[in-house]
Amino acid sequence: MRSGAVWLASATPEQIEAFLGGLSDTTLAALPWIFEFWALPHQLPPEGAWKTWVIMGGRGAGKTRAGSEWVRAEVEGARPGDPGRSRRVALVGETIDQVREVMIFGESGILACSPPDRRPEWQAGRRRLEWPNGAVAEVYSAHEPDSLRGPQFDAAWVDELAKWKKAEDTWDMLQFALRLGQHPRQVVTTTPKNVGVLKAILRNPSSVVTHAPTEANRAYLAASFLQEVRNRYRGSRLERQELDGVLLEDVEGALWTHAMLDAAHVDKAPRLDRIVVAVDPPVTGHTSSDECGIVVAGVSMKGPPQDWIVTVLEDATVAGCSPQGWAEAAVAAFRRHEADRIVAEVNQGGDMVTGLIRSIDGAAPLKAVRASKGKSVRAEPVAALYEQGRVKHLPGMVGLEEQMCRMTLRGYVGKGSPDRVDALVWAISELVVDPSAKPVAPPRVRGL
């Protein structure tokens, strides 16, 4: 069901006038404080008997407002003096200052969201809010987990848990304290990070999740902010985490980790001596086919071979293409980067693969390769180069990097086939792993 805010945004002026004209003076005065009308879908509590509601989203997605309004809904009754569902609430942030400045006094904090007749009083000396009906919310810092020993609550709001240094200890102490009422509940508002405590919460059967990117709340954000941060972080892991609100997890036993790939990121390529385009064609050629992995990489041959540095220049992978389509994409990448060679796996297509590429550019140097070992075995020596710091990535490799972090020695842990990783492995193997790949002619110098 659409919220009132969504309906108003799409309604005509005549519809809006008719709607507002049909409201009584009392209802019209109360409308700004009725969050259920204005809320975005991810800001409304899910149905069901959940214990923990995790609101996971990008920066500025409206998580704080959702947390503040949930606390209001818990403690407020039908009238200002009536009791609500909860009477003792824990407000837990990374520090006392952050709880006070963001969760309580912030622009989307509890005080800003509360109507005058229901606004709680801030008691600075006792570090707590008290509502007209007697409900109380107490402030706690994640730097002091033991401060949660002793008190007890029937509700809690936890903010930015994923960045707490003592997250697990604080979370555990809060769970012991959340023991009042018929069904004590808690809300977690956080930008996702790959931390154990958050992943454990998400795996818990009593947890529910709502999710939204930064753009979901764009009506309340400066347009220049969205444009600037998207342009600055486009194609990066930081974009996926901080703006899209996606939890990027490491798979147990993965050959690559997100931390390893973060360390490999560079803004521009060095002088390159040799560039190749590697192609891993799909088994079939229609819209439901696997992707055709196309990866472009170059090598700087400075010093002995063990010192050569590879830079992955582009993930040019295409999906849902005909064989002609992916062959054209591969040749386009070859020309775009002025590459020295196209390397194409021919296990699935045989002569058809090389024939397609040569029909588009008969002069392009082409090497057909055939896999005799499993994907993980072929990928392991390439992963070792990353561990040695010998492979760098330019921006824009999110899809490739997500596949890399799901490749283990046991195989690929994910949907479909890791075609991007296969292409990457062929490219890097051609440049530095396979001794026979060393060029006979002197390399051409590229870049600045």
Side-chain angles (χ1 to χ4, degrees), residues 113-144:
C113 295
S114 299
D117 62 340
R118 298 165 185 264
R119 184 170 292 130
E121 175 191 5
W122 170 241
Q123 300 173 352
R126 303 181 71 179
R127 296 196 303 203
R128 73 177 200 171
L129 289 170
E130 184 170 349
W131 275 264
N133 63 5
V136 171
E138 298 176 343
V139 172
Y140 294 89
S141 165
H143 284 302
E144 300 174 355

Side-chain angles (χ1 to χ4, degrees), residues 158-353:
V158 170
D159 189 48
E160 293 296 356
L161 172 142
K163 70 172 186 173
W164 295 355
K165 289 182 171 58
K166 298 181 180 180
E168 189 169 355
D169 290 343
T170 305
W171 181 258
D172 287 344
M173 290 301 99
L174 178 61
Q175 302 319 294
F176 287 118
L178 205 60
R179 57 180 184 261
L180 294 180
Q182 295 297 316
H183 183 58
R185 300 190 297 182
Q186 57 202 339
V187 163
V188 177
T189 52
T190 189
T191 302
K193 292 185 71 175
N194 184 30
V195 293
V197 64
L198 179 58
K199 293 189 289 186
I201 293 169
L202 294 174
R203 288 194 297 267
N204 194 315
S206 64
S207 297
V208 293
V209 182
T210 58
H211 168 270
T214 299
E215 275 82 358
N217 200 34
R218 68 185 311 142
Y220 301 99
L221 302 172
S224 59
F225 161 77
L226 282 173
Q227 183 178 353
E228 288 294 328
V229 293
R230 281 293 180 188
N231 289 342
R232 173 66 180 86
Y233 299 105
R234 190 174 306 283
S236 70
R237 176 174 176 257
L238 207 58
E239 178 187 42
R240 296 280 286 157
Q241 176 178 285
E242 301 294 326
L243 298 178
D244 293 334
V246 175
L247 178 60
L248 304 175
E249 297 186 71
D250 289 328
V251 173
E252 184 177 355
L255 295 174
W256 290 273
T257 65
H258 288 103
M260 186 189 302
L261 295 177
D262 282 346
H265 290 168
V266 293
D267 291 328
K268 63 180 182 179
R271 296 166 68 97
L272 298 173
D273 301 309
R274 189 162 182 258
I275 296 175
V276 299
V277 177
V279 185
D280 182 70
V283 178
T284 58
H286 47 73
T287 55
S288 60
S289 299
D290 289 331
E291 296 173 322
C292 175
I294 304 173
V295 171
V296 186
V299 62
S300 300
M301 297 175 174
K302 191 174 182 180
Q306 60 267 27
D307 292 338
W308 293 357
I309 301 295
V310 173
T311 303
V312 182
L313 303 173
E314 183 185 1
D315 175 10
T317 297
V318 293
C321 284
S322 65
Q324 182 75 16
W326 59 250
E328 289 175 351
V331 171
F334 172 81
R335 293 170 177 168
R336 187 163 57 248
H337 292 274
E338 300 180 4
D340 296 281
R341 176 174 288 184
I342 297 176
V343 179
E345 181 181 313
V346 297
N347 283 55
Q348 304 296 340
D351 292 341
M352 182 269 289
V353 173

Side-chain angles (χ1 to χ4, degrees), residues 409-420:
L409 286 176
R410 302 182 307 276
Y412 180 62
V413 182
K415 295 181 180 179
S417 176
D419 302 286
R420 298 170 191 251

